[in-house]
Amino acid sequence: MLLVDGDLRNPSVHRYLDLPAGPGLVDYLTSGYPIAESLVHPKVWPIGGAPAGQSTTQSGELLSSPLMVDLSGS
């Protein structure tokens, strides 16, 4: 199971799961940072996570971008 923080304006899932803050989904969507390198696998949780990374005011545009469509279709 994988939990992805899609709240790009106010990322917070990383704090709840005690994960590093980034890089994450925003970095993938804005600069092509490999999403696979953003995935973390904490030892105490049965799920992995992908942090949102740094916050952005362009969340709507990024979440509807072709890169996000490609990612969600993978």
Side-chain angles (χ1 to χ4, degrees):
M1 186 181 307
L2 179 66
L3 175 64
V4 177
D5 190 351
D7 185 352
L8 305 185
R9 290 182 187 226
N10 186 26
S12 60
V13 170
H14 66 281
R15 288 192 301 264
Y16 295 114
L17 298 179
D18 196 26
L19 300 174
L25 184 58
V26 170
D27 301 284
Y28 165 74
L29 295 172
T30 58
S31 68
Y33 186 85
I35 194 68
E37 293 185 25
S38 298
L39 302 178
V40 292
H41 306 282
K43 296 176 184 172
V44 297
W45 292 94
I47 60 174
Q54 59 184 310
S55 64
T56 181
T57 58
Q58 300 175 340
S59 60
E61 294 86 355
L62 292 176
L63 291 174
S64 62
S65 71
L67 278 175
M68 187 65 188
V69 172
D70 289 345
L71 182 62
S72 62
S74 301

